[in-house]
Amino acid sequence: MSQAIMIITILTLTSKVMGFVRDIIIAYFFGTGRVMDSYLASQSPLGLVNGIITGTIISAFIPLFIRVMKNKNVQEAKHFSATIFYSTTLILAGVVVLVAIFAPQVTSLFFPGFGKADHDMTVNFIRWMSFATIIGAMLSFVNGLLQSEKKFLAYPLVGLSFDFIVIGTLFVTKHLGAVSLALAWTLPPTFIFIILGFAERKFLNPFNVKRGISETKDLYKMIWPLFFSSALGMLNTIVDRTFASTLETGAISSLSYANRITSSATGVLGTPVTQVTYPSVASRAAENDMRGLTVTTKRAMKLLAFFLIPVTFALFPLSKQIITLLFQRGSFTAESTMLTYPPMIAFSLSLFTGALGSVLVQIYYSFKNTRTPMIFGIVGLLINIGLNFLFISHLKQTGLALSTSISSIYFTTVMLISLRIKFKIWFFDIWYFVRVLMASTLMVGGIYLIMAVLRGKARDFVAIFAGIGIYFLFSWILKTLPKRFWKFLKFKKASEEEKL
């Protein structure tokens, strides 16, 4: 099992690197201009439909499919998977076709600030990307099947080809302009679905569709709380893009590039912690082991703080240089960099709280409570909308990113307070948090000093590596450096965990 985890980690990191190469090439061809804004805008209605319908159904499907495999037999599992797959695909296809037909009206509803040229191009992208949306949903379902069967390596291995196909398609079809971007996001999922769909064909046989399966009724009972949670998560992004459509050309794409970088930091440094934490949290909740739950949650909080807070601090002096290094070439100009780096700083303010919020949500879900996070999420969305109105006139897209971060900070704070009231436990180590802030402050002070003293191309790299060294030095002095570093994620029994 440890070998599988190592392979998945390597594949994930490889995928992140290739994803950045892909984004660099897309930025080279399209920058932060009208084409990129329109493409990203088209993903708001299509992504909302796909996320709500497919995302919620797949989340509920996986545990039920496993139950059918264990408690019944493979043939019943084939009936169940085929029934859900084709019913979900038909529902999604029907809604997507309606969105494509009424694309002009949908675009006007989502992006009232677009001029005629932006509006028309977004309408075209919605229609071009409709097929890709359906194929992507089908591929997500197949990936759910693979996870249910514990075939964890199949999707990452085949998925490595995704970015290569995107890059190749962009170069081959670059003379087609905006159409090349649509093709680049349509061919890869189609290719991967053909391969993985063939591998899972026994569970996707249309002749296995069957009515009256009891688990189908259970699935539709489970999806409603997940339905609202998925919608809330996507609506925050859609709200930001809707407001950004009232700003200058490039606002939507600059937000996307900024969020891409901060999300990658969370994906590499935060997501592994939240993924490892969930099974432990669920088992502690099932055993009603509140002591073990407290230790597990605090240890996750410490890891997230240790890795993500210094990233937020480091982006203040280095964000512009990072954007320049990664994207500034071709159509992504110096003006694009100036549009992108301030929102990136604003997004980074919620790196830690966003990841910690995911852990706290897991606690509620483990106790079968999906209502409380949903209510807090609705309030957070309303705060985001209100702050967007407040900030947009003066701060523009940076204000939209700042609103999102403040909303995330609110959500995590009220979740902590709510859990404190419910369980009489404080799942947060304030003194550790303060010490990490101190180490991060000293680190960023060192970075600013080096950047003020040195000149030349090597200055930024020296500042980055010196900053890492300063942070680890003061983490050791302030005793925030995790003991037995690589074993810190193993989440042993509570009696052993307290020693760390």
Side-chain angles (χ1 to χ4, degrees):
M1 183 175 179
S2 59
Q3 284 183 327
I5 293 173
M6 180 62 67
I7 293 171
I8 293 172
T9 301
I10 293 171
L11 290 174
T12 301
L13 290 174
T14 304
S15 178
K16 292 289 183 184
V17 172
M18 285 304 304
F20 266 119
V21 174
R22 177 200 67 212
D23 289 343
I24 289 168
I25 293 172
I26 290 174
Y28 176 83
F29 283 122
F30 301 104
T32 55
R34 175 174 290 128
V35 172
M36 200 63 194
D37 275 3
S38 299
Y39 164 74
L40 292 169
S42 73
Q43 297 309 292
S44 291
L46 293 174
L48 181 64
V49 170
N50 186 18
I52 290 176
I53 296 176
T54 310
T56 54
I57 290 176
I58 291 174
S59 297
F61 167 79
I62 292 175
L64 290 174
F65 178 79
I66 294 172
R67 185 193 304 174
V68 173
M69 288 281 284
K70 286 185 176 181
N71 298 339
K72 294 186 178 181
N73 53 60
V74 175
Q75 187 58 40
E76 287 299 315
K78 291 179 181 178
H79 288 308
F80 179 56
S81 61
T83 301
I84 299 302
F85 175 75
Y86 287 103
S87 61
T88 302
T89 302
L90 286 173
I91 293 170
L92 178 68
V95 177
V96 168
V97 168
L98 287 175
V99 171
I101 291 172
F102 296 101
Q105 292 80 7
V106 171
T107 302
S108 297
L109 176 65
F110 276 78
F111 305 100
F114 271 176
K116 187 178 186 305
D118 292 326
H119 177 277
D120 292 346
M121 186 169 288
T122 303
V123 169
N124 289 334
F125 267 118
I126 288 176
R127 290 169 174 167
W128 293 338
M129 297 300 296
S130 296
F131 178 73
T133 302
I134 297 169
I135 288 292
M138 296 165 70
L139 181 59
S140 296
F141 189 93
V142 172
N143 187 36
L145 281 173
L146 293 168
Q147 291 181 38
S148 302
E149 297 175 273
K150 297 184 179 180
K151 298 177 181 178
F152 297 113
L153 296 179
Y155 188 83
L157 281 170
V158 179
L160 281 177
S161 63
F162 184 95
D163 292 315
F164 287 102
I165 300 174
V166 170
I167 294 168
T169 303
L170 285 172
F171 278 104
V172 172
T173 64
K174 61 183 179 181
H175 61 283
L176 298 176
V179 176
S180 68
L181 191 57
L183 287 173
W185 289 106
T186 301
L187 295 179
T190 303
F191 170 74
I192 295 172
F193 173 73
I194 291 172
I195 294 176
L196 295 181
F198 180 78
E200 292 295 297
R201 61 191 181 279
K202 66 180 179 181
F203 291 113
L204 303 177
N205 189 338
F207 295 103
N208 284 329
V209 173
K210 182 179 178 182
R211 297 178 61 184
I213 301 174
S214 60
E215 284 76 15
T216 303
K217 297 178 182 178
D218 293 338
L219 182 142
Y220 288 112
K221 289 178 183 178
M222 291 174 62
I223 64 174
W224 292 109
L226 294 170
F227 175 90
F228 287 109
S229 297
S230 296
L232 286 170
M234 302 195 69
L235 280 173
N236 275 299
T237 300
I238 292 171
V239 163
D240 288 346
R241 288 180 178 173
T242 300
F243 275 92
S245 71
T246 65
L247 300 173
E248 62 188 315
T249 299
I252 294 177
S253 49
S254 65
L255 279 175
S256 177
Y257 286 120
N259 190 45
R260 171 79 173 114
I261 294 176
T262 54
S263 297
S264 295
T266 304
V268 173
L269 300 174
T271 301
V273 177
T274 58
Q275 287 180 340
V276 171
T277 302
Y278 197 7
S280 183
V281 166
S283 64
R284 298 287 189 263
E287 299 165 2
N288 202 28
D289 178 10
M290 300 309 298
R291 179 166 167 266
L293 179 63
T294 304
V295 172
T296 298
T297 306
K298 282 189 175 181
R299 294 180 69 236
M301 169 259 156
K302 290 179 179 179
L303 273 175
L304 292 172
F306 179 81
F307 285 118
L308 294 176
I309 289 176
V311 174
T312 296
F313 275 70
L315 285 177
F316 277 84
L318 296 171
S319 57
K320 185 177 178 180
Q321 290 83 345
I322 290 171
I323 296 293
T324 301
L325 176 65
L326 291 177
F327 297 128
Q328 190 173 306
R329 55 188 61 84
S331 296
F332 198 101
T333 62
E335 182 182 356
S336 301
T337 297
M338 297 303 293
L339 284 173
T340 305
Y341 89 84
M344 188 172 78
I345 295 175
F347 276 131
S348 73
L349 296 175
S350 61
L351 281 176
F352 169 63
T353 55
L356 181 59
S358 299
V359 175
L360 301 180
V361 166
Q362 292 171 358
I363 297 175
Y364 271 108
Y365 285 176
S366 297
F367 284 99
K368 299 180 180 180
N369 182 345
T370 57
R371 183 170 176 270
T372 301
M374 182 185 71
I375 292 172
F376 292 151
I378 292 173
V379 177
L381 176 62
L382 295 176
I383 290 174
N384 189 21
I385 294 173
L387 291 176
N388 280 345
F389 278 111
L390 182 64
F391 293 152
I392 191 170
S393 60
H394 297 293
L395 299 177
K396 300 188 182 300
Q397 61 266 32
T398 304
L400 303 181
L402 182 60
S403 300
T404 301
S405 289
I406 293 174
S407 175
S408 171
I409 294 169
Y410 149 79
F411 179 80
T412 302
T413 302
V414 295
M415 288 285 285
L416 281 168
I417 295 171
S418 174
L419 288 167
R420 168 66 177 170
I421 294 171
K422 183 176 179 63
F423 296 112
K424 311 299 181 187
I425 297 172
W426 188 242
F427 292 101
F428 195 83
D429 191 326
I430 296 177
W431 175 229
Y432 182 88
F433 177 72
V434 170
R435 284 180 289 158
V436 171
L437 288 179
M438 292 169 61
S440 299
T441 302
L442 292 166
M443 173 200 71
V444 80
I447 292 174
Y448 273 119
L449 179 62
I450 291 170
M451 293 180 70
V453 172
L454 297 182
R455 293 290 183 271
K457 295 182 179 180
R459 181 193 66 173
D460 297 335
F461 291 101
V462 172
I464 290 171
F465 286 108
I468 294 172
I470 292 169
Y471 178 69
F472 274 89
L473 172 64
F474 283 101
S475 295
W476 176 72
I477 293 172
L478 295 171
K479 298 183 179 179
T480 59
L481 191 68
K483 299 177 183 177
R484 287 182 284 181
F485 195 77
W486 297 111
K487 295 182 179 181
F488 206 67
L489 289 175
K490 291 190 176 179
F491 293 99
K492 300 176 183 178
K493 294 182 179 179
S495 59
E496 296 178 1
E497 292 173 32
E498 285 186 322
K499 297 176 184 178
L500 297 175

